[in-house]
């Protein structure tokens, strides 16, 4: 089989874990599979890179950069020591990494002096997490006697839009990757940096946080792989976040549409766009646990599987802001909604949920907390108190989404959802149901959110095996 396997940040968290990953890869390689590996940055490195880029631009202290360089070097040198037994390979990787860390240091010092951090520089700096991880993963594979080479996403043909921080692959990516990667695959295990691509001018871009899932799916679709496997620290896609409800169960099989709804609605087990490329080529996606490799995990496929559960999973989005827009003149003023969403789109705001009251004098939108300030600014400047009289916002809210293809055409699901919450005196602030009917989502106060998830997990008996 031709399989693209992606390993997340926790899976490659340190040298010992990278060494386990190499063993997993060796097993599948020795069984005769053709493997392409996508790696995330070592656990926590992307966050540290972003923090230090921000400090560099605000504090401008070169000594902080030197300190960060020392920490980063130590972490990666230790990883090399634990992951790569072969001294010659370890030395090669060490040299590559020291060179790359030197480049990174220069860029951070540049930001210190300029006191400016552009979206383009953020992408450049944050790309180093994966650029430091890939040579170590590839070296660990070589040290087990298997030929391996590492490439960046851009080198292998992932050419994207210039939307820094949220870049999209251009259509030509699929052909380019097929040609470049296809021609070098052979019997070696190719390791590719997740998360990063480059635009048409060769400038580094990133696909958004957790973007390595998306990279794996893009590569899988380009190569027409038999399967795409996403190795994580959890037992697959579960009935809810196991950090919220430890009794959450693995969902053995789920459809593309359900997995998409879940990933759009906060189950950050997958990058929101992961499923799209896989789906266009009908490639099954498996979500597996690096720390329990024999466990089957979750299989995401095209068909809707008959299963006892109407609702498959509950997810929670925490970092959101609710914005209410009201004004009596909004009723009947054609084009207000269009202006509102155009203003938000032009400000780069991603709208999570929308609801308009039937009186038409009130619209509520939920946006991610990171976009709230930009959203409010855009709305104030677009309307400047004409038509819209009041704009207010509330950060202390969460979105809960109830997802399952079985909900479509099954009457009474909403009654159960809101009945169960009502019985526990949980106040619902806003409701929306997607037209796919695979998803009912609603807004509650932050302090009610965990209880709401627990009540619904119990109401739909998700703790029972599927
Ligand atoms: P990656 O290795 O790709 O970064 P993680 O190993 O971090 O992915 O795993 C995904 C995270 O998603 C877990 O930490 C888990 O708590 C969270 N999560 C949220 N919702 C779900 C869900 N429905 N099923 C599984 N994990 C979930
Ligand atoms: N390293 C990136 C992040 O932390 C991408 C990824 O892990 O998939 O978001
Ligand atoms: Mg993670």
């Amino acid at each position: 089989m031709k399989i693209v396997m992606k390993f997340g940040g926790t899976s490659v968290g340190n040298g010992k874990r990278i060494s386990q990953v190499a063993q997993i890869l060796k097993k599948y390689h020795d069984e005769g599979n053709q493997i392409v590996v996508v790696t995330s940055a070592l656990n926590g490195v992307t966050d540290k890179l972003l923090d230090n880029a921000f400090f560099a631009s605000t504090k401008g202290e070169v000594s902080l950069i030197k300190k960060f360089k020392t920490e980063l070097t130590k972490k990666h040198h230790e990883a090399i020591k634990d992951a790569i037994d072969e001294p010659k390979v370890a030395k090669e990787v060490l040299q590559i990494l020291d060179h790359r860390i030197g480049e990174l240091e220069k860029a951070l010092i540049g930001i210190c002096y300029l006191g400016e951090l552009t979206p383009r520089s953020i992408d450049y700096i944050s790309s180093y997490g994966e650029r430091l991880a890939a040579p170590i993963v590839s070296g660990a594979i070589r040290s087990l006697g298997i030929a391996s080479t590492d490439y960046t996403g851009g080198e292998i043909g992932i050419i994207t839009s210039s939307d820094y921080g949220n870049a999209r692959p251009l259509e030509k990516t699929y052909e380019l990757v097929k040609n470049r990667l296809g021609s070098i695959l052979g019997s070696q295990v190719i390791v590719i940096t997740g998360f990063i691509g480059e635009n048409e001018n060769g400038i580094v871009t990133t696909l958004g946080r957790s973007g390595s899932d998306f990279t794996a799916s893009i590569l899988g679709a380009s190569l027409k792989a038999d399967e795409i496997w996403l190795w994580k620290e959890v037992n697959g896609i579960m009935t809810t976040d196991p950090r919220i409800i430890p009794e959450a169960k693995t969902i053995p099989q789920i459809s593309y549409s359900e997995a998409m709804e879940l990933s759009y609605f906060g189950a950050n087990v997958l990058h929101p766009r992961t499923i799209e490329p896989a789906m266009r080529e009908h490639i099954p996606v498996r979500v597996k646990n690096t720390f329990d490799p024999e466990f089957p995990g979750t299989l995401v496929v095209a068909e809707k599987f008959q299963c006892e559960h109407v609702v498959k999973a509950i997810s929670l989005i925490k970092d959101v802001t609710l914005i209410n827009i009201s004004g009596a003149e909004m009723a009947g003023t054609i084009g207000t909604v269009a202006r509102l969403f155009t203003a938000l789109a032009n400000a780069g705001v991603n709208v999570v949920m929308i609801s308009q009251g039937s009186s038409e004098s009130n619209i509520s939108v939920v946006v991610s907390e990171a976009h709230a300030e930009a959203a409010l600014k855009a709305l104030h400047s677009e309307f400047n108190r004409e038509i819209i009289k009041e704009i207010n916002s509330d950060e202390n809210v969460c979105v809960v989404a109830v997802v399952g293809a079985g909900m479509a055409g099954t009457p009474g699901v909403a009654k159960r959802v809101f009945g169960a919450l009502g019985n526990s005196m949980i106040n619902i602030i806003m409701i929306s149901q997607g037209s796919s009917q695979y998803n009912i989502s609603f807004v509650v106060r932050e302090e009610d959110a965990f209880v709401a998830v627990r009540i619904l997990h119990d109401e739909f008996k998700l703790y029972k095996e599927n």
Side-chain angles (χ1 to χ4, degrees), residues 276-290:
E276 291 167 26
M279 194 164 118
R280 73 187 235 169
E281 298 296 339
H282 306 282
I283 301 172
V285 177
R286 263 177 221 282
V287 182
K288 284 181 67 81
N289 189 344
T290 311

Side-chain angles (χ1 to χ4, degrees), residues 6-9 40-41 46-47 126 129-130 194-195 208-213:
K6 171 257 169 174
F7 291 86
S40 286
T46 311
D47 287 337
S126 60
E130 274 69 11
F195 181 53
R209 295 306 303 269
S210 299
S212 304
D213 289 339

Side-chain angles (χ1 to χ4, degrees), residues 37 39 100 130-131 134-135 138 148-157 180-181 184 188-194 196:
V37 182
T39 184
R100 290 199 182 164
E130 274 69 11
R131 287 157 79 176
S138 178
S148 174
T149 321
D150 65 281
Y151 297 90
T152 65
E155 282 168 344
I156 216 69
R180 287 192 197 166
L181 190 52
I184 51 173
Q188 65 168 327
V189 175
I190 306 278
V191 179
I192 319 265
T193 57
I196 60 183

Side-chain angles (χ1 to χ4, degrees), residues 6 8-10 40 43 210 232-233 243 268-269:
K6 171 257 169 174
T10 318
S40 286
N43 201 19
S210 299
K232 292 173 182 271
E233 57 169 326
R243 282 177 303 189
N268 48 11
V269 61

Side-chain angles (χ1 to χ4, degrees), residues 391-447:
I391 301 175
N392 58 49
S393 65
D394 186 348
E395 288 172 8
N396 302 316
V397 293
C398 288
V399 175
V400 177
V402 178
V403 174
M407 282 159 64
T410 307
V413 180
K415 177 174 161 254
R416 279 178 73 185
V417 169
F418 298 115
L421 296 170
N423 289 341
S424 298
M425 307 299 282
I426 290 185
N427 184 36
I428 314 290
I429 300 170
M430 171 179 167
I431 301 175
S432 123
Q433 178 175 25
S435 58
S436 72
Q437 295 185 39
Y438 289 1
N439 172 354
I440 296 176
S441 28
F442 57 90
V443 175
V444 289
R445 298 220 64 75
E446 207 164 19
E447 59 270 23

Side-chain angles (χ1 to χ4, degrees), residues 380-395:
H380 281 291
S381 88
E382 174 67 30
F383 290 101
N384 197 20
R385 296 200 67 76
E386 37 116 1
I387 306 175
I388 286 175
K389 291 289 175 259
E390 200 180 332
I391 301 175
N392 58 49
S393 65
D394 186 348
E395 288 172 8

